[in-house]
């Protein structure tokens, strides 16, 4: 099956990076796009560093890691997402990823901070290529010296707490400069403040966006393409590939729409708080295109999310990890994960609301 050569990462310090992708890539064709498995690692651990309680490192899932790319057939739209087991999260060029150890990463989606760990048995070649992919599809920073400086093992929960503290200033700055919030979502009020609930919604939203692109539900009328900005200081600068990368707002706007709907329908709108005066930052000159959802796109996909939440496929592998009875504090181990009722992902919307 032919591969999408335009999705190959740019040349990097790893001279074999293109060879690795050709070896790893699997491509499935759908009516309106292609689903590409760019990288697979047999084992990984996904955890959550909570904002509400800085002492808690919550175990989410242990399982196979995959990075998936979706390319639309009739527009330049791309979607990139990662999975560990059944838990998905999106990547975006304005969503930070920090490498904090040889096989350890902190991955941010506004409102959430994931800890991603690979075992020592994971081949170094795969870690090199994962870094190449993160460089391509996220706001990536290599701070792997943090683990060396601390002299700590990523098996120690306190390592992740300390690593989060070291990158927190940079993380918050990146999010605020891009026009997002740092910490808990300002529209998450009342029962919506659960970070595990946001993990579930993030996973469901990433899957719905990918499926909407592949099946043609998401059409050009639903999206805005933001073309690369000319650089006055270097007008002849070569451009990147013509594909358009998603802004992380593609996903966060959908989640915040659900949070707002809950606040209004439950009579809790008085709990909504301002986003601390955060305003969208000016787009800086860049060598890549981006895309976002317009109002009609948000309405279209929120309806799809509601339908997904009300009609879960209980036989699918898309069940998400449930909340353990207690999180993993820095001085003890966490509990086991279980399957979650997928109706919990979108509990706020009901037919007729």
């Amino acid at each position: 099956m032919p591969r999408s050569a335009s999705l190959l990462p740019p040349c990097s310090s790893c001279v074999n990076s293109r060879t690795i992708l050709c070896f790893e890539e699997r491509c499935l064709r759908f009516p309106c796009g292609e689903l590409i498995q760019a990288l697979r690692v047999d084992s990984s651990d996904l955890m959550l560093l909570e904002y509400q309680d800085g002492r808690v490192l919550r175990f989410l899932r242990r399982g196979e890691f995959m990075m998936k790319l979706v390319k639309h057939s009739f527009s330049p739209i791309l979607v990139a997402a990662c999975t560990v087991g059944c838990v998905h999260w999106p990547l975006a060029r304005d969503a930070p990823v920090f490498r904090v150890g040889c096989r350890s990463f902190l991955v941010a989606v506004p409102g959430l901070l994931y800890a991603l760990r690979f075992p020592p048995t994971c081949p170094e070649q795969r870690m090199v290529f994962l870094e190449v992919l993160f460089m391509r599809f996220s706001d990536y920073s290599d701070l792997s010296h943090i683990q060396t400086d601390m002299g700590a093992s990523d098996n120690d929960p306190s390592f992740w707490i300390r690593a989060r503290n070291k990158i927190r200033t940079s993380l918050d700055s990146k999010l605020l400069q891009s026009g997002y919030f740092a910490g808990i979502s300002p529209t998450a009020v009342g029962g919506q403040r659960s970070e595990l609930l946001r993990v579930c919604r993030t996973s469901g939203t990433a899957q719905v966006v990918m499926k909407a692109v592949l099946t043609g539900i998401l059409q050009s009328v639903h999206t805005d393409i933001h073309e690369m900005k000319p650089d006055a200081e270097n007008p002849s600068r070569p451009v990147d590939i013509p594909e358009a990368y998603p802004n992380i707002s593609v996903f966060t706007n959908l989640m915040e729409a659900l949070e707002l709907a809950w606040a209004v329908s439950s009579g809790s709108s008085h709990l909504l708080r301002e986003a601390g005066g955060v305003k969208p930052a000016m787009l800086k000159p860049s060598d890549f295109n981006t895309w976002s959802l317009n109002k009609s796109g948000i309405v279209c996909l929120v309806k799809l999310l509601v339908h997904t939440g009300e009609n879960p496929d209980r036989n699918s592998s898309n069940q998400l990890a449930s909340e353990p009875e207690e999180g993993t504090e820095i001085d003890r181990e966490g509990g086991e994960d279980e399957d979650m009722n997928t109706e919990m992902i979108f509990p706020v919307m009901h037919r007729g609301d």
Side-chain angles (χ1 to χ4, degrees):
M1 191 173 293
R3 294 183 171 87
S4 301
S6 62
L7 293 183
L8 290 169
C11 295
S12 70
S13 57
C14 174
V15 296
N16 293 320
S17 61
R18 287 177 175 267
T19 303
I20 299 171
L21 182 60
C22 290
F23 175 76
E24 292 288 345
E25 185 180 323
R26 303 292 183 272
C27 181
L28 296 176
R29 293 190 180 277
F30 289 81
C32 295
E34 297 175 336
L35 174 62
I36 299 166
Q37 177 186 302
L39 181 67
R40 182 179 63 84
V41 179
D42 290 338
S43 179
S44 63
D45 290 330
L46 184 66
M47 297 159 283
L48 179 69
L49 284 155
E50 290 199 353
Y51 282 111
Q52 295 191 73
D53 187 342
R55 302 171 302 164
V56 174
L57 174 68
R58 190 178 298 281
F59 177 78
L60 295 177
R61 180 67 72 184
R62 171 172 293 166
E64 182 181 71
F65 170 89
M66 283 197 296
M67 184 179 291
K68 303 175 182 179
L69 308 176
V70 168
K71 181 181 180 182
H72 195 234
S73 297
F74 310 112
S75 78
I77 285 177
L78 288 178
V79 182
C82 297
T83 71
V84 173
C86 62
V87 181
H88 292 63
W89 70 93
L91 296 175
R93 295 289 283 262
D94 53 355
V97 173
F98 298 89
R99 188 173 190 172
V100 293
C102 183
R103 292 175 172 80
S104 309
F105 301 85
L106 291 175
V107 183
V109 175
L112 297 171
L113 183 61
Y114 299 95
L116 177 63
R117 175 178 63 196
F118 295 93
T121 54
C122 179
E124 176 62 22
Q125 186 186 48
R126 291 177 188 261
M127 291 296 95
V128 170
F129 187 53
L130 177 60
E131 181 176 50
V132 172
L133 289 169
F134 278 151
M135 290 172 63
R136 182 64 179 238
F137 295 104
S138 72
D139 181 3
Y140 178 77
S141 300
D142 183 359
L143 302 177
S144 53
H145 62 83
I146 286 178
Q147 185 173 22
T148 303
D149 294 345
M150 289 194 299
S153 167
D154 59 11
N155 288 320
D156 181 356
S158 66
F159 162 76
W160 295 100
I161 306 297
R162 293 162 64 193
R164 186 262 311 278
N165 292 340
K166 287 183 177 293
I167 63 96
R168 184 65 183 268
T169 299
S170 177
L171 169 62
D172 290 354
S173 175
K174 285 175 177 286
L175 291 173
L176 293 173
Q177 287 177 9
S178 296
Y180 303 111
F181 54 86
I184 300 293
S185 167
T187 53
V189 298
Q192 304 296 290
R193 286 180 61 81
S194 166
E195 291 175 63
L196 184 68
L197 177 58
R198 192 169 181 89
V199 169
C200 296
R201 282 190 174 146
T202 298
S203 184
T205 299
Q207 294 176 75
V208 163
V209 171
M210 289 191 292
K211 291 175 182 177
V213 172
L214 292 171
T215 59
I217 294 175
L218 192 68
Q219 301 178 10
S220 59
V221 69
H222 297 134
T223 62
D224 293 328
I225 306 294
H226 311 283
E227 295 185 354
M228 62 191 74
K229 297 284 185 177
D231 189 342
E233 296 181 359
N234 186 14
S236 61
R237 180 183 54 182
V239 299
D240 200 358
I241 60 177
E243 279 78 12
Y245 301 86
N247 292 320
I248 198 64
S249 63
V250 168
F251 310 93
T252 58
N253 283 349
L254 296 173
M255 290 184 281
E256 287 158 22
L258 292 171
E259 291 170 348
L260 287 169
W262 181 89
V264 173
S265 63
S266 66
S268 301
S269 56
H270 63 284
L271 298 176
L272 292 171
R273 52 197 172 89
E274 296 296 330
V278 175
K279 297 180 180 179
M282 295 295 293
L283 289 175
K284 299 178 180 179
S286 62
D287 56 0
F288 55 90
N289 300 330
T290 62
W291 69 275
S292 60
L293 293 174
N294 55 33
K295 290 182 180 180
S296 64
I298 293 173
V299 170
C300 172
L301 293 193
V302 165
K303 289 180 179 178
L304 187 57
L305 285 167
V306 172
H307 176 79
T308 301
E310 292 181 340
N311 299 280
D313 179 1
R314 298 184 183 279
N315 295 320
S316 89
S317 62
N318 293 331
Q319 304 286 328
L320 303 182
S322 70
E323 182 171 5
E325 292 184 0
E326 296 186 52
T328 304
E329 295 185 4
I330 62 175
D331 58 349
R332 62 185 175 85
E333 295 182 355
E336 296 293 330
D337 66 324
E338 302 172 354
D339 282 344
M340 168 180 282
N341 181 341
T342 52
E343 290 178 353
M344 179 181 174
I345 303 174
F346 309 108
V348 304
M349 306 289 287
H350 300 283
R351 204 180 312 276
D353 283 0

